Amino acid sequence: MASKNETPILLATFLLTAGLIGGGLWLFSQNSSLKLGNLVPGRADSSNGPTAPTMQQVKNVPSGIFSYGGSTSWAPVRAKVDPVIQTTFPAFRLRYTDPAQGPAGSGTGIRMLLNGQIAFAQSSRPLEQQEYDQAQQQGIRLKQVPVALEGIAIAVHPTLPIPGLTLEQLRQIYTGRLTNWRDVGGPNLTITPYSRRIQDAGTVEFFVTTLLQGQPLGRNVQSVYSTTDALRKIASNPGSIYYASAPEVVPQCTVKPLAIAREGATFVPPYQLPLVPPEACPNQRNQLNTEAFATGTYPLTRQLFVVIAQNGQVEQQAGEAYAQFLLTQEGQQLLAEANFVKIR
């Protein structure tokens, strides 16, 4: 029990501590920049408020022609979802815009957004710190809204007789440490890895950052202009390998999507078993293993983002509306029909 002399001291200490805690909480609530989410470069900014069941119920949809661009992985979305948006809101007119120079991709789309060439961008990778910094220098805050999930599929020649690759084997192939298929249980055949350029494609940036852990692509990796170009090369080269968005690879007739394991021999295919043989295609096509993507048992998955420049202009309103369209129950179902995984 405290003595009479100790009681005033204890009381003063308690009041001082309470004041410091209360002041700290007030300061934290007033300064949003202290929130951890605002300090993480690759964070995924959620959309504002609840989403509507149907696109028709999305509010604050502006009228006008709105250019957009970015990731080639979004091509199925542009084909499946965007026409429904146009039908639902005819005054909200969308126009896909290719870059003036070089191939389309997540990075080029974000650069076009920062240069004021498009209203919003479609990205297959998170924003980078340098992109946040560049936007801040222009007095703009970038926002990324995740709308879907997808897998990255590995394509090889249909005749390559291996059951799959581990992530470590894939890493060593693309850093130039493994150069012959016999090193991974295959035939005595030189490995020819293909890739798009890292500055052109969000898929490559994701692949290098996530799988290669920041190591550069090996000198043996041959550059291709596009996934279409790469798949043609795979079909004619028995020792080749390539990676791309699963919806672009899995249904193809001329390549084999390869199963992947985190480690060991527990290979998980990006397609639904059984594998459809090339001679049965195109009457039958491999279907995506969306359940494995959704649960994370397939080891190469990522999110797709709508990137919005929060500049208070009508372009921001267009980007916000577009993201909301995709996050409605109707939009999520259409994304699933385009072979992506719903996140809601």
Side-chain angles (χ1 to χ4, degrees):
M1 181 175 179
S3 66
K4 292 182 179 180
N5 291 335
E6 293 174 328
T7 301
I9 296 174
L10 292 173
L11 180 60
T13 301
F14 173 78
L15 292 174
L16 179 60
T17 301
L20 289 171
I21 293 173
L25 290 174
W26 179 85
L27 179 61
F28 184 87
S29 68
Q30 298 302 308
N31 188 354
S32 61
S33 67
L34 295 177
K35 295 178 182 178
L36 182 61
N38 289 337
L39 302 178
V40 181
R43 70 187 185 276
D45 298 335
S46 61
S47 58
N48 297 324
T51 56
T54 67
M55 292 184 184
Q56 185 65 54
Q57 294 171 286
V58 172
K59 299 179 180 179
N60 301 318
V61 179
S63 298
I65 300 174
F66 299 100
S67 298
Y68 68 115
S71 172
T72 58
S73 298
W74 279 72
V77 179
R78 294 191 280 270
K80 185 75 176 181
V81 185
D82 292 5
V84 178
I85 295 174
Q86 300 282 238
T87 301
T88 307
F89 285 91
F92 182 74
R93 298 168 62 188
L94 293 170
R95 182 180 66 178
Y96 181 76
T97 304
D98 281 311
Q101 293 182 335
S106 298
T108 52
I110 294 166
R111 288 193 292 273
M112 291 169 69
L113 177 64
L114 291 173
N115 291 335
Q117 296 172 281
I118 55 177
F120 58 89
Q122 298 170 324
S123 181
S124 58
R125 54 128 173 115
L127 286 163
E128 298 176 350
Q129 182 61 56
Q130 63 182 14
E131 292 163 341
Y132 281 115
D133 293 342
Q134 183 180 347
Q136 187 176 17
Q137 291 170 5
Q138 297 176 208
I140 301 170
R141 180 177 180 270
L142 289 179
K143 176 181 180 180
Q144 56 183 12
V145 181
V147 296
L149 184 73
E150 72 157 354
I152 300 295
I154 309 301
V156 296
H157 194 274
T159 62
L160 186 69
I162 65 169
L165 290 171
T166 66
L167 292 179
E168 180 59 29
Q169 289 171 335
L170 193 58
R171 182 180 299 116
Q172 291 193 37
I173 286 173
Y174 270 92
T175 53
R177 293 179 176 87
L178 285 178
T179 59
N180 195 296
W181 284 110
R182 66 185 172 190
D183 297 329
V184 293
N188 182 11
L189 186 64
T190 300
I191 300 174
T192 305
Y194 293 114
S195 174
R196 295 173 67 196
R197 298 189 309 167
I198 191 168
Q199 62 265 39
D200 295 334
T203 302
V204 184
E205 293 176 273
F206 172 86
F207 191 82
V208 169
T209 301
T210 304
L211 180 67
L212 305 190
Q213 300 172 345
Q215 300 177 75
L217 293 167
R219 294 182 178 180
N220 62 324
V221 178
Q222 297 186 20
S223 293
V224 291
Y225 183 82
S226 66
T227 292
T228 300
D229 181 27
L231 296 179
R232 287 173 181 162
K233 291 179 182 295
I234 294 284
S236 61
N237 183 347
S240 57
I241 185 171
Y242 179 69
Y243 61 94
S245 170
E248 294 180 291
V249 170
V250 170
Q252 296 296 325
C253 297
T254 58
V255 302
K256 179 173 73 174
L258 204 60
I260 301 297
R262 294 185 189 280
E263 56 185 7
T266 309
F267 297 111
V268 180
Y271 53 85
Q272 297 177 25
L273 293 171
L275 179 68
V276 176
E279 56 270 19
C281 192
N283 293 328
Q284 290 180 274
R285 292 182 184 269
N286 285 303
Q287 302 298 311
L288 271 76
N289 191 356
T290 53
E291 182 178 355
F293 298 162
T295 60
T297 53
Y298 183 78
L300 284 175
T301 60
R302 61 178 176 178
Q303 287 183 311
L304 300 180
F305 303 91
V306 177
V307 181
I308 304 162
Q310 296 188 291
N311 55 11
Q313 305 298 316
V314 68
E315 290 80 11
Q316 176 184 342
Q317 189 179 358
E320 298 278 6
Y322 185 78
Q324 288 300 312
F325 287 140
L326 299 182
L327 289 170
T328 62
Q329 294 176 19
E330 181 183 4
Q332 289 286 290
Q333 181 57 40
L334 288 169
L335 285 169
E337 292 174 13
N339 290 323
F340 296 98
V341 178
K342 297 187 287 186
I343 62 171
R344 292 195 175 186

